[in-house]
Amino acid sequence: MAHRSGDWPPALRELASHAFGACTDANRAAVSNELKALIFQAVQDGSLHTKDWRRVRLASLEPKGKRRAHDRQTVSSPLGNVREEAARREKRQRRFEAEQAAFEREQAADMHSALASTSLAGRLLGPAAPTPPRSRGATPDPNVVDWDEYTVVGTSTKLEKPYLRLTSAPDPKTVRPLATLRETLALLKRRWAQDGNYAYICDQFKSMRQDLTVQRIKNEFTVQVYETHARIALDRGDLGEYNQCQSQLRSLYALGLPGAVHEFLAYRILYLLHTRHQRDVHALMAEMSQDDKAAPAVRHALQVRAALRAGNYAAFFQLYHAAPNMNARVMDHFVDRERVHALLILARTMRPSCALAFVARQLGWDTATGAHDFLQSMGAAVYVGSAPLDEAQWDTKNAQEALTHAADRFRKVDIKGQLS
């Protein structure tokens, strides 16, 4: 599937350009170090593409205090003052243009080998292209983040390690190399099958992902780690962790690394339906090839979208029960919302009542009891007479008010985490 290669977010580029244009020789090193720390932290917590960089203010650029107006006494004519101010402005402009040009040249040269090969840019490449050697005696550009400085080769042989958010450069003694991480993944799979302890498994997977990131390991194993964690998160309904894994997987797949591309493309479509991001669904569909759309899991997700757009709830619930892979796990997060909408339509159009058994068949319940339990949870289990549930007539008129209130509760999508 066609996809644009990952890169710094535009807002981050703008922040860096502004910072290096506004700094002086006195605080350039402090500005560079603060930028490195901010971006490195964003890599670790997965917020590089979700952080609002436009609101970031660098402490190293804040004035230490107001300058005294009369630190220096100078005697000059008004014309001399104007000329001096114009000269200072011209000097600042030349310095800014020179630094901006150097920044952009270095960024273009090193993006593929340094940035693009890290999860920072979300471009988890295989072997990175070699970086042209620096000429002897060349001074590194302080305006460019040197990600090699933060790359380590782990030496730890411990299979299990709790996840701790990095606040400084990682220690190689606490980082597991690829061979150890492979053993860890096999161990975690066995533990998950035996114990099903999600809190433990999630913590261990986050620790694995961190070790992969700081070592810039980007290969089929990396894909396997993120796919496995994403599936476990979906199984437990943890959309936040699933989201983080999905974001990285999109970048991995875009680089041509093999994996369950269509499976996770289907999950993304359904997730966007859950969050009601229709514009993102349209953009995603525009990127998809015919082969993508023909894949069974993706075709199912697109059919779910079509059923919702057409208001065909009978088809929607048939698709829910026939979902491939873990598509139904994603649909679980919005199936109740769609049931309430469907019930509200029935309550408005089928007066004064309709058979509860009919409601159950149309909206995907196996029995009238299942429909009754759901209606009761919404405060809408009202009936005409006192017949058994299999023969009950649902009182659509008196149920409408409760369903209207229930629909209002579903207007806000409650999710943890955001898609990049």
Side-chain angles (χ1 to χ4, degrees):
M1 180 178 72
H3 181 76
R4 294 177 55 189
S5 61
D7 205 340
W8 279 9
L12 176 54
R13 288 177 177 274
E14 184 177 344
L15 171 64
S17 298
H18 170 75
F20 290 125
C23 69
T24 63
D25 292 339
N27 66 353
R28 180 176 289 105
V31 170
S32 178
N33 290 335
E34 186 175 0
L35 272 175
K36 289 180 181 180
L38 285 173
I39 301 173
F40 181 73
Q41 184 60 38
V43 173
Q44 301 310 312
D45 58 27
S47 64
L48 183 75
H49 293 279
T50 59
K51 188 179 183 70
D52 189 354
W53 294 103
R54 293 171 297 182
R55 295 181 179 273
V56 173
R57 296 293 180 270
L58 300 182
S60 53
L61 288 178
E62 294 294 330
K64 296 182 179 180
K66 294 184 178 179
R67 295 183 180 179
R68 294 186 177 88
H70 301 290
D71 282 346
R72 296 180 180 178
Q73 295 292 335
T74 58
V75 179
S76 59
S77 66
L79 180 59
N81 289 338
V82 172
R83 287 175 177 173
E84 289 176 5
E85 178 62 23
R88 285 195 293 270
R89 288 182 179 178
E90 184 177 356
K91 183 178 180 179
R92 287 197 299 268
Q93 179 66 22
R94 287 198 302 268
R95 187 185 69 207
F96 172 78
E97 291 176 351
E99 291 176 344
Q100 176 69 8
F103 174 74
E104 292 179 352
R105 286 196 302 271
E106 188 71 20
Q107 186 181 61
D110 291 350
M111 187 68 71
H112 181 77
S113 59
L115 280 177
S117 62
T118 70
S119 60
L120 159 71
R123 298 177 57 188
L124 303 171
L125 289 169
T131 304
R134 296 183 185 273
S135 58
R136 182 170 299 180
T139 302
D141 188 341
N143 298 341
V144 178
V145 178
D146 182 8
W147 290 104
D148 288 325
E149 178 183 349
Y150 296 105
T151 302
V152 301
V153 177
T155 60
S156 174
T157 58
K158 293 183 178 180
L159 297 186
E160 299 170 87
K161 185 182 78 171
Y163 170 74
L164 295 174
R165 187 181 299 275
L166 288 177
T167 57
S168 60
D171 182 356
K173 294 179 181 178
T174 65
V175 177
R176 293 161 294 185
L178 180 58
T180 303
L181 290 173
R182 291 186 186 277
E183 295 181 45
T184 298
L185 179 60
L187 171 65
L188 294 182
K189 286 181 176 180
R190 292 195 301 270
R191 287 285 182 86
W192 175 245
Q194 294 168 2
D195 306 329
N197 185 339
Y198 180 68
Y200 162 80
I201 289 293
C202 184
D203 181 75
Q204 292 296 316
F205 266 97
K206 289 172 71 173
S207 178
M208 284 188 66
R209 287 159 46 189
Q210 185 180 75
D211 285 355
L212 289 168
T213 298
V214 298
Q215 295 178 97
R216 289 164 59 177
I217 297 174
K218 299 154 288 285
N219 52 26
E220 292 184 42
F221 176 74
T222 310
V223 175
Q224 189 178 2
V225 169
Y226 278 96
E227 286 181 345
T228 304
H229 193 186
R231 293 188 185 105
I232 292 174
L234 280 180
D235 186 61
R236 288 304 175 93
D238 188 347
L239 289 183
E241 287 302 327
Y242 157 77
N243 231 352
Q244 294 183 28
C245 296
Q246 173 76 294
S247 297
Q248 292 297 331
L249 284 170
R250 289 189 69 206
S251 301
L252 285 160
Y253 295 149
L255 300 169
L257 291 173
V261 178
H262 290 137
E263 176 187 349
F264 282 87
L265 174 57
Y267 298 156
R268 180 167 174 79
I269 295 170
L270 294 171
Y271 181 89
L272 293 174
L273 293 177
H274 164 55
T275 58
R276 293 173 169 169
H277 290 162
Q278 294 297 333
R279 184 175 299 178
D280 291 339
V281 175
H282 296 157
L284 187 60
M285 291 177 63
E287 297 177 357
M288 292 163 54
S289 67
Q290 291 302 317
D291 289 341
D292 294 330
K293 295 177 181 179
V298 178
R299 184 170 66 249
H300 173 269
L302 294 177
Q303 289 171 344
V304 171
R305 171 184 174 272
L308 289 177
R309 286 177 62 86
N312 188 345
Y313 291 103
F316 172 82
F317 289 107
Q318 289 173 5
L319 290 166
Y320 173 61
H321 288 295
N325 299 327
M326 300 185 74
N327 282 18
R329 292 295 191 183
V330 185
M331 295 176 70
D332 283 340
H333 293 277
F334 61 95
V335 70
D336 284 351
R337 178 185 71 199
E338 301 307 326
R339 273 185 169 137
V340 168
H341 291 164
L343 287 167
L344 191 53
I345 292 172
L346 288 174
R348 289 170 176 170
T349 57
M350 300 187 70
R351 294 296 185 91
S353 65
C354 72
L356 184 62
F358 170 79
V359 174
R361 287 195 303 272
Q362 292 298 307
L363 303 188
W365 286 291
D366 295 330
T367 64
T369 301
H372 166 75
D373 291 343
F374 185 82
L375 287 169
Q376 193 169 44
S377 70
M378 299 296 161
V382 289
Y383 304 101
V384 177
S386 57
L389 291 180
D390 290 341
E391 302 172 7
Q393 290 292 313
W394 179 44
D395 189 341
T396 55
K397 180 178 179 180
N398 290 319
Q400 182 175 339
E401 183 177 357
L403 290 173
T404 301
H405 291 311
D408 289 339
R409 295 199 297 269
F410 283 107
R411 290 188 185 279
K412 183 179 180 180
V413 179
D414 184 15
I415 60 174
K416 179 182 178 182
Q418 295 294 326
L419 280 176
S420 62

